[in-house]
Amino acid sequence: MDVGGDPLVAGALEGGKTMSALVEMRDIHKTFGAIKALDGVDLTVEAGEIIGLVGDNAAGKSTLMKVLSGAYQADKGSVQVNGDQYEIHSVDDARALGIEMVYQDLALADNLDVTANIYMGREIVSGRWNWLDFKKMEVEARRLLERLKIDINVKHPVATLSGGQRQAVAIARAMAFNARLVILDEPTASLSPETAEHVLELVRTLKKQGVAVIMINHRTDEVTRVADRLAVMRHGRIIRDVLHA
């Protein structure tokens, strides 16, 4: 991609035809009372691209991603997915567009097994009476974990899993419904360096499968090991957006 002095280009030329980016956020604003959390942010995400979103605390990183994932609504600005503009008013709107966010707290139910956590809130039903299809969910959960190269028994309660395994389950849940963009909020914050590397390898696997990933991370050394691009935020704006070799 030729940044041409402006790394936030809308697409790339291929065979003389302009190809739209997976996601384009343009002039995004968000205020909370007197606090201006986002001040005209532009961000472009290509399919299969890993973006490291970095910056100080309160720079606006999580707020920007919550706008994209539907948890917040922007006061002003636009979001395009594959060249078409959409209004994202809720998490369900974002999910319908293939955008999923994995929060730092993971929102897992410790008392349930891996399968139940993957399909929690979006369970598979079948039959005339729409019974919960536990067998199908278990089979599909195994297939999903195999595809993502996650070695976890789907019958194990989440409470018995390590921090890295729990993060993997949360990412698998995001991928269970054909996500095209997965947003990870500080995915390695509470993990040891060795365990964090397993999460980074999972991020690389998502990229290989054509899934875009945005990582909010304070550990710059980790981000630079996997990111294709770095976007640096400060005071509600992206002050630098560069390709990372």
Side-chain angles (χ1 to χ4, degrees), residues 17-181:
K17 182 180 178 181
T18 300
M19 305 298 291
S20 297
L22 174 62
V23 171
E24 296 178 67
M25 305 182 77
R26 289 286 177 259
D27 195 30
I28 303 296
H29 293 255
K30 182 66 179 177
T31 59
F32 297 96
I35 300 174
K36 185 175 290 188
L38 300 175
D39 186 17
V41 180
D42 294 339
L43 182 66
T44 298
V45 186
E46 303 287 350
E49 180 180 36
I50 301 174
I51 296 178
L53 188 60
V54 299
D56 296 333
N57 289 332
K61 305 182 301 296
S62 293
T63 300
L64 182 64
M65 291 299 97
K66 287 179 180 179
V67 168
L68 182 56
S69 64
Y72 292 159
Q73 293 184 38
D75 300 327
K76 177 185 175 184
S78 64
V79 176
Q80 292 188 3
V81 178
N82 287 332
D84 295 321
Q85 187 165 318
Y86 293 92
E87 297 288 337
I88 300 179
H89 296 296
S90 67
V91 171
D92 287 340
D93 287 346
R95 283 175 172 167
L97 295 171
I99 301 169
E100 294 272 357
M101 183 164 178
V102 179
Y103 291 94
Q104 191 170 349
D105 64 6
L106 303 181
L108 298 176
D110 285 347
N111 61 315
L112 300 179
D113 65 18
V114 171
T115 297
N117 270 276
I118 288 176
Y119 288 97
M120 186 167 53
R122 292 180 281 185
E123 291 81 2
I124 297 175
V125 296
S126 62
R128 180 180 177 184
W129 305 105
N130 288 329
W131 300 110
L132 292 178
D133 196 332
F134 294 105
K135 183 176 181 180
K136 185 173 183 179
M137 285 188 283
E138 187 174 306
V139 169
E140 292 301 324
R142 284 201 184 98
R143 287 176 180 170
L144 175 64
L145 296 185
E146 288 174 4
R147 177 165 68 86
L148 297 176
K149 300 179 182 179
I150 299 173
D151 185 17
I152 300 175
N153 189 324
V154 297
K155 293 185 177 182
H156 280 178
V158 164
T160 67
L161 303 183
S162 68
Q165 289 174 322
R166 290 166 65 87
Q167 184 69 239
V169 171
I171 294 173
R173 182 176 61 193
M175 288 300 300
F177 300 90
N178 301 315
R180 293 182 289 173
L181 168 61

Side-chain angles (χ1 to χ4, degrees), residues 196-242:
E197 185 56 41
H198 293 301
V199 175
L200 297 182
E201 187 57 37
L202 177 54
V203 170
R204 296 185 186 102
T205 298
L206 294 180
K207 174 183 172 63
K208 290 176 183 177
Q209 297 181 6
V211 179
V213 179
I214 300 177
M215 288 181 59
I216 302 172
N217 202 326
H218 282 90
R219 296 181 178 180
T220 308
D221 60 321
E222 291 180 354
V223 174
T224 54
R225 293 210 302 274
V226 296
D228 301 304
R229 213 165 93 235
L230 296 176
V232 183
M233 293 196 70
R234 185 180 183 187
H235 300 319
R237 298 183 65 88
I238 290 181
I239 60 171
R240 190 167 178 81
D241 189 326
V242 294

